[in-house]
Amino acid sequence: MEKPRQDRLGRLLIDNKLITEEQLEEALAEHSGSGKSLGRVLIERGAITEGQLTSVLAEQVGIRYVDLGSYAIDPEATNSIDITMARRYTVMPIDFKDSKVLVAMADPTNVFALDDLRIKTGMEVLPVVSTADDINNTIDRYMHETMDMGDGMDEISTLEEGEEEEPEDERGLKEAGEDAPIVKYVNLLIGEAVQEHASDIHIEPGEKDVRIRYRIDGVLQEIRRSPRKIHPGLVSRIKIMAGMNIAERRVPQDGRFNLQVSDQEVDLRVASLPTVFGEKMVLRILDRSSILISLSQLGMEPDPLGSFSKSFKKPYGTVIVTGPTGSGKTTTLYAALAELNRREVNVITVEDPVEYQMKGLNQVQVNTAVGLTFAASLRSILRSDPDIVMIGEIRDPESAKMAIESALTGHMVLCTMHTNDAPSAVTRMTEMGIEPFLIASAVDSVVSQRLARKLCTRCKEEATYEAGYLEKIGFPMDGPEVAKLFKAKQGGCAFCNSTGFRGRIGLYEVLEVDEDVEKLVVGQATAHAIGNLAREKGMKPLRQDGFVKVNRGITSIEEVLRVVM
């Protein structure tokens, strides 16, 4: 009996050591019964990836395979065709080679596509093979449905051939910033970032192009690279919107503006930084709705949540929230303030900057240029009959001393500090010159937190780990049997933007300052000793709190170890 013709593909896969004889036989049987192609059957069974299959097929027809995920794509090449043609034929120009345009194609045998590409680009086409998913992802990254980048890029720049790279006069810069295509492009970037739930937009000029990156779930992801010539107009447009000096490019500047994006009001904080290739712009997206999260949604376990709530609901005392920049400290404090904000209490905050505005609060913006520092603000606040004071960050001994004295004189003080864990916040205050007995009397609790990415619910995969490894990292095990754990899928899916993660959850440790801890503080014990006592009394460290989330399938072991020392 003659073997199916698909067996020839199977031989190639075996020769390349991608599958075994047994896998081929099982796949051929399913192929014969289902009518699906052998390649599709092997992909669905998990024996090979689409990239591996495409690579073998490319070798078979004598055309090179290119992995677009790792290829340094030339943005000038991507602008040589429009998005309509790219989607119609599933093609993407990625580079120029010897006066030819290198085009990634899902089907390099499509002669109609090759002819249209040759006419559109005005160059000979050098086809290479890539997977359809990779090509579509690249189209999404370098092009956009709402703006034809191929036709628009030439309009964006006001430069003519041979002109200086950046207009020198303010009028020229302003005209570049108000050019219609650049307005669309900036709105596109902001709208896209909001849609992807990004916290920051990074616009970084290079020698030949401009790199656009979004910080999504705490991790920077490169979204696209654009031609270098759009940079002057791009920077000028953002500066105009943020009320910054468009003619000044030698010193850093700060600005702020708000924008309506799809029925959603977002505030943006802008910072410019001069680099060797031009000004780098960072736009921090402040979503007003994100601060309205309740304590029950923070991700805090019931026991530490109860301790935290009890401490900030006292009539006086100090609650400290610690963690690195971007760990969600402000969100935690505002969640607490939302519960404390009542008509009968006077709540005053001092922040730098005031990132979110909440009704009912008296919010003070620090302005060091006119002498309105944290310490100066606090002195004035204490003369304004406050019940609750929130200090954005304790940065110096004077602010720390005033915070402690405020708590001892009958105020509830909520504040943040930068320390690695909860016990270290107490010893940090001692190092600032605050008397230990004052700290012991004033501080009620310290919360340390981190933000871990949540696994994508649509593509997360089951994972198994050796018992020795789990024991080494301190993962709780009830016995030799390990609970079903999950990890991020390599390459992710469309829902999670190919990252394997979507959204974030808080990891917390809450140190209650009771009588026993107070004795150690007064005795100037080390943070290590205070931490040991707190753990003996039931405090769950950050890593252990993360492992609770791992057991529930919310995040992965690797992610917890990434964010917690």
Side-chain angles (χ1 to χ4, degrees):
M1 179 179 175
E2 184 180 336
K3 287 188 177 182
R5 286 161 50 184
Q6 292 277 2
D7 190 28
R8 184 171 147 202
L9 171 61
R11 289 289 109 200
L12 282 170
L13 293 170
I14 289 175
D15 291 343
N16 283 275
K17 299 181 180 179
L18 295 174
I19 62 172
T20 63
E21 291 279 359
E22 183 180 355
Q23 287 175 315
L24 175 60
E25 291 300 325
E26 292 173 356
L28 282 171
E30 183 177 337
H31 155 68
S32 301
S34 66
K36 296 179 182 177
S37 69
L38 177 63
R40 181 51 51 191
V41 169
L42 287 166
I43 290 171
E44 290 177 357
R45 283 172 164 264
I48 58 171
T49 65
E50 189 173 354
Q52 289 171 329
L53 175 63
T54 306
S55 177
V56 168
L57 291 173
E59 182 182 336
Q60 189 177 9
V61 296
I63 298 178
R64 183 162 68 100
Y65 169 75
V66 170
D67 178 7
L68 294 181
S70 58
Y71 192 88
I73 295 172
D74 185 343
E76 290 286 354
T78 64
N79 293 320
S80 58
I81 67 170
D82 57 56
I83 191 171
T84 306
M85 176 179 286
R87 291 215 184 277
R88 184 194 308 144
Y89 294 123
T90 316
V91 297
M92 190 62 175
I94 58 173
D95 209 348
F96 297 111
K97 297 283 185 183
D98 303 324
S99 300
K100 296 180 181 179
V101 59
L102 193 69
V103 180
M105 306 180 67
D107 179 11
T109 62
N110 188 334
V111 292
F112 299 107
L114 291 169
D115 285 343
D116 283 357
L117 283 165
R118 195 176 296 113
I119 294 168
K120 180 68 176 177
T121 62
M123 303 173 70
E124 284 298 314
V125 176
L126 191 62
V128 294
V129 178
S130 293
T131 67
D133 284 347
D134 279 356
I135 293 173
N136 286 324
N137 287 338
T138 307
I139 293 172
D140 291 339
R141 174 175 292 183
Y142 287 86
M143 299 178 176
H144 200 275
E145 299 287 359
T146 59
M147 181 176 178
D148 188 336
M149 302 300 286
D151 295 336
M153 283 300 176
D154 290 334
E155 300 175 47
I156 284 176
S157 176
T158 59
L159 305 177
E160 299 294 335
E161 195 69 34
E163 276 190 326
E164 290 295 322
E165 191 168 84
E166 298 189 7
E168 293 297 331
D169 62 309
E170 186 173 341
R171 183 175 152 191
L173 285 165
K174 191 170 183 180
E175 287 176 357
E178 293 179 346
D179 191 32
I182 200 68
V183 171
K184 290 181 183 178
Y185 189 60
V186 171
N187 291 342
L188 159 69
L189 291 181
I190 296 172
E192 189 178 58
V194 170
Q195 185 180 355
E196 294 292 337
H197 304 288
S199 61
D200 300 87
I201 303 172
H202 289 245
I203 299 170
E204 302 166 323
E207 186 178 3
K208 296 181 178 179
D209 54 24
V210 179
R211 180 170 64 170
I212 310 293
R213 294 195 291 175
Y214 296 161
R215 188 176 293 279
I216 302 172
D217 295 334
V219 179
L220 278 173
Q221 298 177 22
E222 184 176 319
I223 302 301
R224 62 171 60 84
R225 287 180 182 261
S226 299
R228 179 72 176 82
K229 63 185 178 181
I230 79 164
H231 182 253
L234 193 57
V235 170
S236 297
R237 174 58 186 166
I238 294 169
K239 283 186 173 182
I240 290 168
M241 296 173 78
M244 299 159 70
N245 184 350
I246 60 174
E248 181 57 75
R249 290 167 286 161
R250 299 163 297 176
V251 296
Q253 295 185 63
D254 296 305
R256 185 169 186 157
F257 66 96
N258 56 61
L259 198 66
Q260 189 82 14
V261 180
S262 303
D263 301 325
Q264 183 179 356
E265 187 78 19
V266 294
D267 291 332
L268 293 104
R269 228 171 58 215
V270 183
S272 69
L273 182 69
T275 70
V276 292
F277 294 118
E279 287 179 283
K280 171 185 168 75
M281 306 293 290
V282 178
L283 286 72
R284 166 66 58 89
I285 300 170
L286 306 174
D287 181 1
R288 294 177 182 177
S289 63
S290 68
I291 203 66
L292 302 177
I293 189 170
S294 66
L295 280 172
S296 59
Q297 297 171 302
L298 286 174
M300 206 178 283
E301 297 300 312
D303 287 344
L305 178 57
S307 300
F308 177 50
S309 298
K310 183 176 69 175
S311 63
F312 71 72
K313 288 179 180 177
K314 291 180 179 180
Y316 55 86
T318 305
V319 174
I320 305 172
V321 181
T322 78
T325 301
S327 61
K329 300 187 296 297
T330 303
T331 301
T332 300
L333 285 181
Y334 270 91
L337 286 175
E339 293 201 8
L340 296 172
N341 187 19
R342 304 185 304 276
R343 287 186 179 183
E344 60 270 23
V345 296
N346 179 20
V347 184
I348 305 179
T349 76
V350 52
E351 306 167 67
D352 184 23
V354 176
E355 293 190 0
Y356 305 96
Q357 296 174 7
M358 181 181 285
K359 289 183 179 179
L361 303 188
N362 301 284
Q363 297 172 277
V364 178
Q365 167 78 54
V366 167
N367 187 348
T368 54
V370 297
L372 190 62
T373 62
F374 274 103
S377 301
L378 278 172
R379 280 193 294 271
S380 299
I381 285 171
L382 294 175
R383 292 193 291 269
S384 302
D385 187 31
D387 296 295
I388 299 165
V389 178
M390 193 268 269
I391 306 171
E393 184 183 342
I394 291 181
R395 299 178 178 177
D396 53 71
E398 190 177 1
S399 298
K401 183 179 179 181
M402 294 192 70
I404 294 298
E405 289 177 350
S406 302
L408 293 173
T409 53
H411 304 91
M412 169 50 65
V413 179
L414 307 177
C415 57
T416 72
M417 292 181 72
H418 288 289
T419 60
N420 289 330
D421 55 24
S424 298
V426 179
T427 56
R428 176 67 57 81
M429 282 199 158
T430 306
E431 293 166 1
M432 285 182 170
I434 312 301
E435 293 292 342
F437 70 91
L438 293 177
I439 300 171
S441 301
V443 178
D444 287 302
S445 70
V446 184
V447 179
S448 182
Q449 67 180 83
R450 301 289 188 277
L451 289 177
R453 292 179 295 171
K454 295 163 67 176
L455 292 170
C456 175
T457 55
R458 298 189 184 181
C459 68
K460 64 182 181 182
E461 298 178 332
E462 287 189 28
T464 55
Y465 300 89
E466 293 182 1
Y469 171 73
L470 295 178
E471 185 178 356
K472 180 181 177 182
I473 64 174
F475 190 87
M477 295 183 293
D478 297 330
E481 293 295 324
V482 178
K484 184 165 65 174
L485 305 178
F486 292 89
K487 66 177 181 179
K489 179 183 178 182
Q490 187 73 27
C493 65
F495 182 67
C496 61
N497 202 23
S498 304
T499 62
F501 297 94
R502 188 175 176 89
R504 288 191 288 180
I505 190 168
L507 310 183
Y508 299 90
E509 66 179 19
V510 178
L511 169 66
E512 280 192 87
V513 182
D514 57 14
E515 289 185 8
D516 294 327
V517 174
E518 283 182 15
K519 290 176 184 177
L520 289 183
V521 175
V522 172
Q524 299 190 39
T526 64
H528 182 70
I530 295 172
N532 284 340
L533 176 62
R535 284 187 286 272
E536 288 174 12
K537 296 174 75 68
M539 182 187 82
K540 188 168 288 184
L542 281 167
R543 183 179 287 194
Q544 293 302 317
D545 187 58
F547 288 156
V548 170
K549 272 82 172 178
V550 171
N551 262 325
R552 292 181 185 162
I554 298 172
T555 188
S556 66
I557 285 179
E558 293 78 12
E559 179 64 10
V560 171
L561 297 180
R562 183 183 73 86
V563 299
V564 181
M565 292 175 61

